[in-house]
Each structure stands twice: as structure tokens, then as C-alpha cells.
Coordinates of all heavy atoms in Angstrom, one line a residue:
M1 N 16.9 -8.5 6.8 CA 16.1 -8.3 8.0 C 15.3 -7.0 7.9 O 14.2 -6.9 8.2 CB 16.9 -8.5 9.2 CG 16.1 -8.3 10.5 SD 15.7 -9.9 11.2 CE 16.4 -9.9 12.7
S2 N 16.1 -5.9 7.6 CA 15.4 -4.6 7.6 C 14.4 -4.5 6.5 O 13.4 -3.8 6.6 CB 16.4 -3.5 7.4 OG 17.1 -3.6 6.2
A3 N 14.5 -5.2 5.4 CA 13.5 -5.3 4.3 C 12.2 -5.9 4.8 O 11.2 -5.3 4.5 CB 14.0 -6.1 3.1
R4 N 12.3 -6.8 5.7 CA 11.1 -7.5 6.2 C 10.4 -6.5 7.1 O 9.2 -6.3 7.0 CB 11.5 -8.7 7.0 CG 10.2 -9.5 7.4 CD 10.5 -10.7 8.3 NE 10.2 -10.3 9.6 CZ 10.9 -10.6 10.7 NH1 12.1 -11.2 10.6 NH2 10.6 -10.2 11.9
Y5 N 11.1 -5.7 7.9 CA 10.5 -4.7 8.8 C 9.8 -3.6 7.9 O 8.7 -3.2 8.3 CB 11.5 -4.1 9.7 CG 12.0 -5.0 10.8 CD1 13.4 -5.3 10.9 CD2 11.1 -5.7 11.7 CE1 13.8 -6.2 11.9 CE2 11.5 -6.5 12.7 CZ 12.9 -6.8 12.8 OH 13.3 -7.6 13.8
A6 N 10.4 -3.2 6.9 CA 9.9 -2.2 6.0 C 8.6 -2.7 5.4 O 7.6 -2.0 5.3 CB 10.9 -1.8 4.9
E7 N 8.6 -4.0 4.9 CA 7.4 -4.5 4.3 C 6.2 -4.7 5.2 O 5.1 -4.7 4.9 CB 7.7 -5.8 3.6 CG 8.6 -5.7 2.3 CD 9.2 -7.0 1.8 OE1 8.9 -8.0 2.4 OE2 10.0 -6.9 0.8
E8 N 6.5 -5.0 6.5 CA 5.6 -5.2 7.5 C 5.1 -3.9 8.3 O 4.2 -3.9 9.1 CB 6.0 -6.2 8.5 CG 6.2 -7.6 7.9 CD 6.7 -8.7 8.8 OE1 7.0 -8.3 10.0 OE2 6.9 -9.8 8.4
S9 N 5.7 -2.8 7.9 CA 5.4 -1.6 8.6 C 4.1 -1.0 8.3 O 3.6 -1.0 7.1 CB 6.5 -0.5 8.2 OG 6.1 0.8 8.7
T10 N 3.4 -0.6 9.3 CA 2.0 0.0 9.0 C 2.2 1.4 8.3 O 1.2 1.9 7.9 CB 1.2 0.2 10.4 OG1 2.0 1.0 11.3 CG2 0.9 -1.2 10.9
A11 N 3.4 1.9 8.3 CA 3.6 3.2 7.5 C 3.2 3.1 6.1 O 2.8 4.1 5.5 CB 5.0 3.6 7.6
L12 N 3.2 1.9 5.5 CA 2.7 1.7 4.1 C 1.2 2.0 4.0 O 0.8 2.2 2.9 CB 3.1 0.3 3.6 CG 4.6 0.0 3.4 CD1 4.8 -1.4 3.1 CD2 5.1 0.9 2.3
A13 N 0.6 2.1 5.0 CA -0.9 2.5 5.0 C -1.0 3.9 4.5 O -2.1 4.3 4.0 CB -1.6 2.3 6.3
T14 N 0.0 4.7 4.5 CA -0.1 6.1 4.0 C -0.4 6.1 2.5 O -1.0 6.9 1.9 CB 1.2 6.9 4.3 OG1 2.3 6.2 3.7 CG2 1.4 7.1 5.7
V15 N 0.1 5.0 1.8 CA -0.2 4.9 0.4 C -1.6 4.6 0.2 O -2.3 5.2 -0.7 CB 0.7 3.8 -0.3 CG1 0.3 3.5 -1.7 CG2 2.2 4.1 -0.1
V16 N -2.1 3.7 1.0 CA -3.6 3.4 1.0 C -4.4 4.6 1.2 O -5.4 4.9 0.6 CB -3.9 2.3 2.0 CG1 -5.4 1.9 2.0 CG2 -3.1 1.0 1.7
A17 N -4.0 5.4 2.2 CA -4.7 6.7 2.5 C -4.7 7.6 1.3 O -5.7 8.3 1.1 CB -4.1 7.3 3.8
T18 N -3.6 7.7 0.7 CA -3.4 8.6 -0.5 C -4.4 8.1 -1.6 O -5.1 9.0 -2.2 CB -2.0 8.5 -1.1 OG1 -1.1 9.0 -0.1 CG2 -1.9 9.3 -2.3
L19 N -4.6 6.9 -1.8 CA -5.5 6.3 -2.8 C -6.9 6.3 -2.4 O -7.8 6.5 -3.3 CB -5.0 4.9 -3.3 CG -3.6 4.8 -3.8 CD1 -3.2 3.4 -4.0 CD2 -3.4 5.6 -5.1
F20 N -7.2 5.9 -1.2 CA -8.6 5.6 -0.8 C -9.1 6.5 0.3 O -10.3 6.4 0.7 CB -8.7 4.2 -0.4 CG -8.3 3.2 -1.4 CD1 -7.2 2.5 -1.4 CD2 -9.2 2.9 -2.5 CE1 -6.8 1.6 -2.4 CE2 -8.9 2.0 -3.5 CZ -7.6 1.4 -3.4
G21 N -8.3 7.4 0.8 CA -8.7 8.3 1.9 C -8.2 7.9 3.3 O -7.9 6.8 3.5
Y22 N -8.2 8.9 4.1 CA -7.7 8.7 5.5 C -8.4 7.6 6.3 O -7.7 6.8 6.9 CB -7.8 10.0 6.3 CG -7.3 9.8 7.7 CD1 -5.9 9.8 8.0 CD2 -8.2 9.7 8.7 CE1 -5.5 9.6 9.3 CE2 -7.8 9.5 10.0 CZ -6.5 9.4 10.3 OH -6.1 9.2 11.6
Q23 N -9.7 7.6 6.2 CA -10.4 6.5 7.0 C -10.0 5.1 6.6 O -9.9 4.3 7.5 CB -11.9 6.8 6.9 CG -12.3 8.0 7.7 CD -13.9 8.2 7.7 OE1 -14.6 7.7 6.7 NE2 -14.4 8.9 8.7
V24 N -10.0 4.9 5.3 CA -9.6 3.6 4.8 C -8.1 3.3 5.2 O -7.8 2.2 5.7 CB -9.8 3.4 3.3 CG1 -9.3 2.1 2.8 CG2 -11.3 3.6 3.0
G25 N -7.3 4.2 5.0 CA -5.8 4.0 5.3 C -5.7 3.7 6.8 O -4.9 2.8 7.2
S26 N -6.3 4.4 7.7 CA -6.2 4.2 9.1 C -6.8 2.9 9.5 O -6.2 2.1 10.3 CB -6.7 5.3 9.9 OG -8.1 5.4 9.8
R27 N -7.9 2.5 8.9 CA -8.5 1.2 9.2 C -7.6 0.0 8.8 O -7.4 -0.9 9.5 CB -9.9 1.1 8.5 CG -10.6 -0.2 8.7 CD -11.9 -0.3 8.1 NE -12.0 0.1 6.7 CZ -11.6 -0.8 5.7 NH1 -11.2 -2.0 5.9 NH2 -11.7 -0.4 4.4
I28 N -6.9 0.2 7.6 CA -6.1 -0.8 7.2 C -4.8 -1.0 8.1 O -4.4 -2.1 8.5 CB -5.6 -0.5 5.7 CG1 -6.8 -0.6 4.7 CG2 -4.4 -1.5 5.3 CD1 -7.4 -2.0 4.6
A29 N -4.3 0.2 8.5 CA -3.2 0.1 9.5 C -3.5 -0.5 10.8 O -2.8 -1.3 11.3 CB -2.7 1.6 9.7
K30 N -4.7 -0.1 11.3 CA -5.2 -0.7 12.6 C -5.4 -2.2 12.4 O -5.0 -3.0 13.3 CB -6.4 -0.1 13.0 CG -6.2 1.4 13.5 CD -7.6 2.0 13.9 CE -7.4 3.5 14.2 NZ -8.7 4.1 14.4
T31 N -6.0 -2.7 11.4 CA -6.2 -4.1 11.1 C -4.9 -4.8 11.0 O -4.7 -5.9 11.6 CB -7.1 -4.3 9.8 OG1 -8.3 -3.6 10.0 CG2 -7.3 -5.8 9.6
A32 N -3.9 -4.3 10.3 CA -2.6 -4.9 10.1 C -1.9 -5.0 11.5 O -1.3 -6.1 11.8 CB -1.7 -4.1 9.1
Y33 N -2.0 -4.0 12.3 CA -1.4 -4.0 13.6 C -2.1 -5.0 14.5 O -1.3 -5.8 15.1 CB -1.5 -2.6 14.2 CG -0.9 -2.5 15.6 CD1 0.5 -2.5 15.7 CD2 -1.7 -2.5 16.7 CE1 1.1 -2.4 17.0 CE2 -1.1 -2.5 18.0 CZ 0.2 -2.4 18.1 OH 0.8 -2.4 19.4
K34 N -3.3 -5.0 14.5 CA -4.1 -5.9 15.4 C -3.9 -7.4 15.0 O -3.8 -8.3 15.8 CB -5.6 -5.6 15.4 CG -5.9 -4.4 16.2 CD -7.4 -4.1 16.2 CE -7.8 -2.8 16.8 NZ -9.2 -2.5 16.7
Q35 N -3.8 -7.7 13.7 CA -3.7 -9.0 13.2 C -2.2 -9.4 13.0 O -2.0 -10.6 12.7 CB -4.4 -9.2 11.9 CG -5.9 -9.0 12.0 CD -6.7 -9.2 10.7 OE1 -6.0 -9.5 9.6 NE2 -8.0 -9.1 10.7
Q36 N -1.3 -8.5 13.3 CA 0.1 -8.8 13.2 C 0.5 -9.3 11.8 O 1.2 -10.3 11.7 CB 0.6 -9.7 14.3 CG 0.5 -9.1 15.7 CD 1.1 -9.9 16.8 OE1 1.1 -11.2 16.7 NE2 1.6 -9.3 17.8
C37 N 0.0 -8.6 10.8 CA 0.3 -8.9 9.5 C 0.6 -7.6 8.7 O 0.6 -6.6 9.3 CB -0.9 -9.7 8.8 SG -2.4 -8.7 8.7
S38 N 0.9 -7.8 7.5 CA 1.4 -6.6 6.7 C 0.1 -5.8 6.1 O -0.9 -6.4 6.0 CB 2.3 -7.0 5.5 OG 1.5 -7.7 4.5
V39 N 0.4 -4.6 5.8 CA -0.6 -3.7 5.2 C -1.0 -4.4 3.9 O -2.2 -4.5 3.5 CB -0.1 -2.3 5.0 CG1 -1.0 -1.5 4.0 CG2 0.0 -1.6 6.3
K40 N 0.0 -4.9 3.2 CA -0.3 -5.6 1.9 C -1.2 -6.7 2.0 O -2.1 -6.9 1.3 CB 1.1 -6.0 1.3 CG 1.0 -6.6 -0.1 CD 2.3 -6.9 -0.6 CE 2.3 -7.5 -2.0 NZ 3.6 -7.8 -2.5
Q41 N -1.0 -7.5 3.1 CA -1.9 -8.7 3.3 C -3.4 -8.3 3.5 O -4.3 -8.9 3.0 CB -1.4 -9.5 4.5 CG -0.1 -10.3 4.2 CD 0.5 -10.9 5.4 OE1 0.6 -10.3 6.5 NE2 0.8 -12.2 5.3
V42 N -3.5 -7.2 4.3 CA -4.9 -6.7 4.6 C -5.5 -6.1 3.3 O -6.7 -6.4 3.0 CB -4.9 -5.6 5.7 CG1 -6.2 -5.1 5.9 CG2 -4.3 -6.2 7.0
V43 N -4.7 -5.3 2.6 CA -5.2 -4.8 1.3 C -5.7 -5.9 0.4 O -6.7 -5.7 -0.3 CB -4.1 -3.9 0.7 CG1 -4.5 -3.5 -0.8 CG2 -4.0 -2.6 1.5
L44 N -4.9 -6.9 0.3 CA -5.2 -8.0 -0.6 C -6.4 -8.8 -0.1 O -7.3 -9.1 -0.9 CB -4.0 -8.9 -0.8 CG -2.9 -8.4 -1.6 CD1 -1.7 -9.3 -1.6 CD2 -3.3 -8.0 -3.0
A45 N -6.5 -9.0 1.2 CA -7.7 -9.7 1.8 C -9.0 -8.9 1.5 O -10.0 -9.5 1.3 CB -7.5 -9.9 3.2
E46 N -8.9 -7.6 1.6 CA -10.0 -6.8 1.3 C -10.3 -6.4 -0.1 O -11.2 -5.7 -0.4 CB -9.9 -5.5 2.2 CG -10.0 -5.8 3.7 CD -10.3 -4.6 4.5 OE1 -10.6 -3.5 4.0 OE2 -10.1 -4.7 5.8
K47 N -9.4 -6.9 -1.0 CA -9.5 -6.7 -2.4 C -9.5 -5.2 -2.9 O -10.2 -4.9 -3.8 CB -10.7 -7.5 -3.0 CG -10.5 -9.0 -2.7 CD -11.7 -9.8 -3.3 CE -11.4 -11.2 -2.9 NZ -12.1 -12.2 -3.6
L48 N -8.8 -4.4 -2.1 CA -8.6 -3.0 -2.5 C -7.7 -2.9 -3.7 O -7.9 -1.9 -4.5 CB -8.1 -2.2 -1.3 CG -9.0 -2.0 -0.2 CD1 -8.3 -1.3 1.0 CD2 -10.3 -1.3 -0.6
L49 N -6.7 -3.7 -3.8 CA -5.8 -3.7 -4.9 C -5.6 -5.1 -5.4 O -5.8 -6.1 -4.7 CB -4.4 -3.2 -4.5 CG -4.3 -1.7 -3.9 CD1 -3.0 -1.5 -3.3 CD2 -4.6 -0.7 -5.0
T50 N -5.2 -5.2 -6.7 CA -4.8 -6.5 -7.2 C -3.4 -6.9 -6.7 O -2.7 -6.0 -6.2 CB -4.8 -6.5 -8.8 OG1 -3.7 -5.6 -9.2 CG2 -6.1 -6.1 -9.4
P51 N -3.0 -8.1 -6.8 CA -1.7 -8.5 -6.3 C -0.6 -7.6 -7.0 O 0.4 -7.2 -6.4 CB -1.6 -10.0 -6.6 CG -3.0 -10.5 -6.5 CD -3.8 -9.3 -7.1
E52 N -0.8 -7.5 -8.4 CA 0.2 -6.7 -9.1 C 0.3 -5.2 -8.6 O 1.3 -4.7 -8.5 CB -0.1 -6.7 -10.6 CG 1.0 -6.0 -11.4 CD 0.6 -5.9 -12.9 OE1 -0.2 -5.1 -13.2 OE2 1.3 -6.6 -13.7
Q53 N -0.9 -4.6 -8.4 CA -0.9 -3.2 -7.9 C -0.3 -3.1 -6.6 O 0.5 -2.2 -6.3 CB -2.4 -2.7 -7.9 CG -3.0 -2.5 -9.2 CD -4.5 -2.3 -9.2 OE1 -5.2 -2.8 -8.3 NE2 -5.0 -1.6 -10.2
A54 N -0.6 -4.1 -5.7 CA -0.1 -4.1 -4.3 C 1.5 -4.2 -4.4 O 2.2 -3.6 -3.6 CB -0.6 -5.2 -3.5
D55 N 2.0 -5.0 -5.3 CA 3.4 -5.2 -5.5 C 4.2 -3.9 -5.8 O 5.2 -3.6 -5.2 CB 3.8 -6.2 -6.6 CG 3.6 -7.7 -6.1 OD1 3.4 -7.9 -4.9 OD2 3.5 -8.5 -7.0
Y56 N 3.6 -3.1 -6.7 CA 4.3 -1.9 -7.0 C 3.9 -0.7 -6.1 O 4.8 0.2 -5.9 CB 4.2 -1.5 -8.5 CG 2.9 -1.0 -9.0 CD1 2.5 0.3 -8.9 CD2 2.1 -1.9 -9.8 CE1 1.3 0.7 -9.4 CE2 0.8 -1.4 -10.3 CZ 0.5 -0.1 -10.1 OH -0.7 0.3 -10.6
L57 N 2.7 -0.7 -5.6 CA 2.3 0.4 -4.8 C 2.8 0.3 -3.3 O 3.1 1.3 -2.7 CB 0.8 0.6 -4.7 CG 0.2 1.2 -6.0 CD1 -1.3 0.9 -6.0 CD2 0.5 2.7 -6.1
L58 N 2.9 -0.9 -2.9 CA 3.3 -1.1 -1.5 C 4.8 -1.6 -1.3 O 5.1 -2.2 -0.4 CB 2.4 -2.0 -0.8 CG 0.9 -1.5 -0.8 CD1 0.0 -2.6 -0.2 CD2 0.8 -0.2 -0.1
D59 N 5.6 -1.3 -2.3 CA 7.0 -1.7 -2.3 C 7.8 -0.6 -1.5 O 7.8 0.6 -2.0 CB 7.5 -1.8 -3.7 CG 9.0 -2.1 -3.8 OD1 9.7 -1.9 -2.8 OD2 9.4 -2.6 -4.9
P60 N 8.3 -0.9 -0.4 CA 9.0 0.1 0.4 C 10.1 0.8 -0.4 O 10.3 2.0 -0.1 CB 9.6 -0.6 1.6 CG 8.8 -1.9 1.7 CD 8.4 -2.2 0.3
M61 N 10.8 0.1 -1.3 CA 11.9 0.8 -2.0 C 11.3 1.8 -3.0 O 11.9 2.9 -3.2 CB 12.7 -0.3 -2.8 CG 13.5 -1.2 -1.9 SD 14.5 -0.4 -0.7 CE 15.7 0.3 -1.7
N62 N 10.1 1.5 -3.5 CA 9.5 2.5 -4.4 C 9.0 3.7 -3.6 O 9.1 4.9 -4.0 CB 8.3 1.9 -5.1 CG 8.7 1.1 -6.3 OD1 9.8 1.1 -6.7 ND2 7.8 0.3 -6.8
M63 N 8.4 3.4 -2.4 CA 7.8 4.5 -1.6 C 8.8 5.4 -0.9 O 8.4 6.5 -0.5 CB 6.8 3.9 -0.6 CG 5.6 3.2 -1.2 SD 4.7 4.4 -2.3 CE 5.0 3.8 -3.9
T64 N 10.1 5.0 -0.8 CA 11.1 5.8 -0.2 C 11.8 6.7 -1.3 O 12.7 7.5 -0.9 CB 12.1 5.0 0.6 OG1 12.7 4.0 -0.3 CG2 11.4 4.3 1.8
D65 N 11.5 6.5 -2.5 CA 12.1 7.3 -3.6 C 11.0 8.2 -4.2 O 10.0 7.6 -4.8 CB 12.6 6.3 -4.7 CG 13.3 7.1 -5.8 OD1 12.6 7.9 -6.4 OD2 14.4 6.7 -6.2
P66 N 11.1 9.5 -4.1 CA 10.0 10.4 -4.5 C 9.6 10.2 -6.0 O 8.4 10.2 -6.3 CB 10.5 11.8 -4.3 CG 11.6 11.6 -3.2 CD 12.2 10.2 -3.4
Q67 N 10.5 10.0 -6.8 CA 10.3 9.8 -8.3 C 9.5 8.4 -8.5 O 8.5 8.4 -9.2 CB 11.5 9.8 -9.1 CG 12.1 11.2 -9.2 CD 13.4 11.3 -10.0 OE1 14.1 10.3 -10.1 NE2 13.6 12.4 -10.6
K68 N 10.0 7.4 -7.8 CA 9.3 6.1 -8.0 C 8.0 6.1 -7.4 O 7.0 5.5 -7.9 CB 10.2 5.0 -7.4 CG 11.4 4.7 -8.2 CD 12.2 3.6 -7.6 CE 13.5 3.3 -8.4 NZ 14.3 2.2 -7.7
S69 N 7.8 6.7 -6.2 CA 6.5 6.7 -5.6 C 5.5 7.5 -6.4 O 4.3 7.1 -6.6 CB 6.6 7.2 -4.2 OG 7.0 8.6 -4.1
T70 N 5.9 8.6 -6.9 CA 5.0 9.4 -7.8 C 4.6 8.6 -9.0 O 3.5 8.6 -9.4 CB 5.7 10.7 -8.2 OG1 6.0 11.5 -7.0 CG2 4.8 11.6 -9.1
A71 N 5.6 8.0 -9.6 CA 5.3 7.1 -10.8 C 4.4 6.0 -10.5 O 3.4 5.7 -11.3 CB 6.6 6.6 -11.4
A72 N 4.5 5.4 -9.4 CA 3.6 4.3 -9.0 C 2.2 4.7 -8.8 O 1.3 4.1 -9.3 CB 4.2 3.6 -7.7
I73 N 2.1 5.9 -8.1 CA 0.7 6.4 -7.9 C 0.1 6.8 -9.2 O -1.1 6.6 -9.5 CB 0.7 7.5 -6.8 CG1 1.0 6.9 -5.5 CG2 -0.6 8.2 -6.8 CD1 1.3 7.8 -4.4
K74 N 0.8 7.5 -10.1 CA 0.3 7.9 -11.4 C -0.1 6.7 -12.2 O -1.1 6.7 -12.9 CB 1.4 8.7 -12.1 CG 1.4 10.2 -11.6 CD 2.3 11.0 -12.4 CE 2.4 12.4 -11.9 NZ 3.2 13.3 -12.6
R75 N 0.7 5.6 -12.1 CA 0.4 4.4 -12.9 C -0.9 3.8 -12.4 O -1.8 3.5 -13.2 CB 1.5 3.3 -12.6 CG 1.3 2.0 -13.3 CD 2.4 1.0 -13.0 NE 2.0 -0.3 -13.3 CZ 2.8 -1.4 -13.1 NH1 4.0 -1.2 -12.5 NH2 2.3 -2.6 -13.4
Y76 N -1.1 3.8 -11.1 CA -2.4 3.3 -10.6 C -3.6 4.2 -11.0 O -4.6 3.6 -11.4 CB -2.3 3.2 -9.0 CG -3.7 2.9 -8.4 CD1 -4.1 1.6 -8.4 CD2 -4.5 3.9 -7.9 CE1 -5.3 1.2 -7.9 CE2 -5.8 3.5 -7.4 CZ -6.1 2.2 -7.4 OH -7.4 1.9 -6.8
Q77 N -3.4 5.5 -10.9 CA -4.4 6.4 -11.3 C -4.8 6.2 -12.8 O -5.9 6.2 -13.2 CB -4.0 7.8 -11.0 CG -4.0 8.1 -9.5 CD -3.4 9.5 -9.2 OE1 -2.6 10.0 -9.9 NE2 -3.9 10.1 -8.1
T78 N -3.8 6.0 -13.7 CA -4.0 5.8 -15.1 C -4.8 4.5 -15.3 O -5.7 4.4 -16.1 CB -2.7 5.7 -15.8 OG1 -2.0 7.0 -15.6 CG2 -2.9 5.5 -17.3
E79 N -4.3 3.4 -14.6 CA -5.0 2.1 -14.7 C -6.5 2.2 -14.3 O -7.3 1.5 -14.8 CB -4.3 1.0 -13.8 CG -3.0 0.6 -14.3 CD -2.3 -0.3 -13.3 OE1 -2.9 -0.7 -12.2 OE2 -1.2 -0.7 -13.6
M80 N -6.8 3.0 -13.3 CA -8.1 3.2 -12.8 C -8.9 4.3 -13.4 O -10.0 4.6 -13.0 CB -8.1 3.3 -11.2 CG -7.4 2.2 -10.5 SD -7.9 0.6 -11.0 CE -9.5 0.5 -10.3
N81 N -8.3 4.9 -14.4 CA -8.8 6.1 -15.1 C -9.2 7.2 -14.2 O -10.3 7.8 -14.2 CB -10.1 5.7 -15.9 CG -9.7 4.7 -17.1 OD1 -8.8 4.9 -17.8 ND2 -10.5 3.7 -17.2
M82 N -8.3 7.5 -13.2 CA -8.5 8.5 -12.2 C -7.8 9.8 -12.5 O -8.0 10.8 -11.8 CB -8.0 8.0 -10.8 CG -8.8 6.8 -10.3 SD -8.1 6.1 -8.9 CE -8.3 7.4 -7.7
S83 N -6.9 9.8 -13.5 CA -6.1 11.0 -13.7 C -6.9 12.1 -14.4 O -8.0 12.1 -14.7 CB -4.9 10.7 -14.6 OG -5.3 10.0 -15.7

């Protein structure tokens, strides 16, 4: 039950803000809240991330571990040639 709450938390929009900026992150969080869906669902609907990227970037277990979250963000940056 708590895993579902974590996956549906708008707090995951902080990852979106880290990658795409505050305005995009807050818009995603507001949309998820208003539509009563997950940040991941909104990100996928807006095609900001691929399903695979969303799986590793928006995984609450990864994002609550500093080493895993840093690795996930670096992986994304490498994939997008952003590093």
C-alpha cells in the first residue's frame, strides 16, 4: 500500500524539475494532482521521457537513495548527451 502512495506522490515531480526546470516540474505536479494520476502518467502522456526512462527516473526506491538517484540522473544525462 505505501509503495502505491509513493508512486502516486507529486513529490516525484522534483525529478522532473531537476531535468526540465522548475516550471515544467510544477506544471507536471499540478496536472497530476488535478487529474488524480501519477507524475509518471503525466510525463509519459506528454512524452517528456520514454517508458524506460520514466521507470528508472521516477522509481521512488531509487529517488530515496542518494547514490541510486544520482546514478539515475547521470544515466539520463548520458543518454541525452547532456553531461
Side-chain angles (χ1 to χ4, degrees):
M1 182 97 121
S2 61
R4 188 182 104 225
Y5 290 122
E7 290 170 1
E8 293 177 2
S9 172
T10 56
L12 289 174
T14 58
V15 176
V16 179
T18 298
L19 300 173
F20 301 103
Y22 174 80
Q23 289 184 333
V24 174
S26 68
R27 179 176 51 79
I28 296 295
K30 288 176 188 175
T31 302
Y33 179 77
K34 286 180 185 176
Q35 294 181 0
Q36 296 183 329
C37 61
S38 70
V39 166
K40 184 177 180 178
Q41 289 171 313
V42 177
V43 165
L44 291 173
E46 294 196 11
K47 300 181 183 198
L48 291 174
L49 297 171
T50 66
E52 181 184 78
Q53 290 168 332
D55 283 345
Y56 72 80
L57 285 165
L58 300 175
D59 179 339
M61 295 307 291
N62 284 346
M63 293 303 109
T64 57
D65 180 308
Q67 290 177 332
K68 287 181 181 179
S69 63
T70 299
I73 291 170
K74 284 184 179 181
R75 175 180 167 185
Y76 173 78
Q77 290 172 330
T78 300
E79 288 174 1
M80 302 309 291
N81 296 317
M82 296 172 66
S83 53

